[in-house]
Amino acid sequence: MVTGINTNADITTSGKSNFIHSKQEDFKKNILTCVGMGTQKVMLCSDALMSYASPKTGESVNIYHADNYSKENPVYIIKGLDKYGNEFEKEVNAKEINPNCCSYNDMMILNLETGNASSRLESVMMFDKSGRDSYFDEADYTAAIKSLMKDFKTLGCWDSYIFMDKWLNDIWDYAKKAEKSQDIFTYYKIFYNA
C-alpha cells in the first residue's frame, strides 16, 4: 500500500529543470507500480519533481516542469492515474492557481513554485483538513491551512504554527504577484488590441 507523498530530493530552484521530458514510450519505463486499493495500480515516476498516491482512491499524480517552463511561464505537467485507473495528463500554469479555490494538485504545484515542496506531512494534514477525498476536487486550501494553524496554536506546537504561517504567506505572496502580472498582461492586451 502506498501512503503519503514522495518528493525527489534533487528539485531544482533555477528557471531550468534538470528533468528531460519523457516521450510516451519512455514514460511507462520510468514508472514504479505499487498496489493501491485492491487491484488498483498507481503510477509513481522516479523522474518527477513530486509524486504522490492515495491508497483510499487509487489516484496517483506525478508533477513535472513543462518543456517551455520558466519563472515567467511557470507551466507544469501533471500525469498519473485517476481513481478508475485511467491515465491522464494535464497542463497547469502556476500563475493561474487561486489557493482559495483549487485542487490539491494545484496546491502541490504552488508548493513547488514557492520552494515549499518539503512540507510533505503538512501537505497531507492540509488535504485531510480540506475534507476532500480526491486530489482533483477543489477546496479552499488557505482555510485548511488556517485551521491547521489554529490546531497547532491550541496544542502549543509553535514550531509547526510558525512553519505553517510562513508557508501560507509564501503561497499568498506568490498568488498576489501572479495576479498583478496577469492584471498588467490583461491591461496591455486590452490597450493594444483596442
Side-chain angles (χ1 to χ4, degrees):
M1 185 181 273
V2 176
T3 58
I5 298 173
N6 172 31
T7 306
N8 291 337
D10 60 347
I11 294 174
T12 58
T13 55
S14 67
K16 299 284 184 194
S17 169
N18 64 356
F19 162 70
I20 300 169
H21 197 47
S22 300
K23 295 179 182 168
Q24 186 63 27
E25 59 271 4
D26 293 337
F27 179 64
K28 291 185 180 185
K29 292 178 188 173
N30 291 323
I31 296 171
L32 308 170
T33 55
C34 307
V35 175
M37 257 184 92
T39 59
Q40 172 79 9
K41 298 286 185 184
V42 296
M43 284 186 184
L44 297 176
C45 301
S46 59
D47 63 345
L49 296 171
M50 180 183 284
S51 298
Y52 45 92
S54 169
K56 186 175 183 180
T57 64
E59 297 169 335
S60 54
V61 178
N62 301 279
I63 303 175
Y64 299 91
H65 283 145
D67 289 337
N68 60 344
Y69 173 89
S70 68
K71 285 295 179 187
E72 296 75 35
N73 185 40
V75 178
Y76 287 81
I77 303 291
I78 60 171
K79 295 181 181 185
L81 296 175
D82 65 16
K83 64 183 176 182
Y84 305 108
N86 300 320
E87 285 187 44
F88 70 87
E89 182 173 333
K90 181 180 176 186
E91 192 174 277
V92 178
N93 187 321
K95 286 185 177 183
E96 296 173 1
I97 298 171
N98 176 356
N100 295 322
C101 183
C102 66
S103 71
Y104 181 77
N105 297 328
D106 293 337
M107 277 301 288
M108 294 305 96
I109 288 172
L110 286 178
N111 279 351
L112 286 166
E113 243 343 77
T114 59
N116 290 307
S118 63
S119 56
R120 291 176 231 146
L121 180 58
E122 293 82 0
S123 296
V124 172
M125 292 185 322
M126 175 194 65
F127 180 64
D128 186 54
K129 280 285 188 187
S130 76
R132 300 300 186 260
D133 291 324
S134 172
Y135 294 140
F136 299 91
D137 292 342
E138 291 187 349
D140 182 349
Y141 281 102
T142 56
I145 292 173
K146 286 180 182 180
S147 179
L148 272 175
M149 289 174 64
K150 183 178 177 186
D151 291 348
F152 289 138
K153 184 177 181 180
T154 301
L155 295 170
C157 299
W158 297 111
D159 288 347
S160 296
Y161 178 87
I162 291 168
F163 174 84
M164 295 298 283
D165 185 52
K166 180 191 176 311
W167 184 23
L168 184 59
N169 284 320
D170 289 348
I171 296 291
W172 277 343
D173 288 347
Y174 182 85
K176 286 177 189 173
K177 287 178 187 173
E179 186 179 329
K180 284 181 184 177
S181 71
Q182 289 294 86
D183 288 345
I184 291 169
F185 174 75
T186 303
Y187 170 78
Y188 282 115
K189 188 174 176 183
I190 291 169
F191 181 76
Y192 287 110
N193 287 338

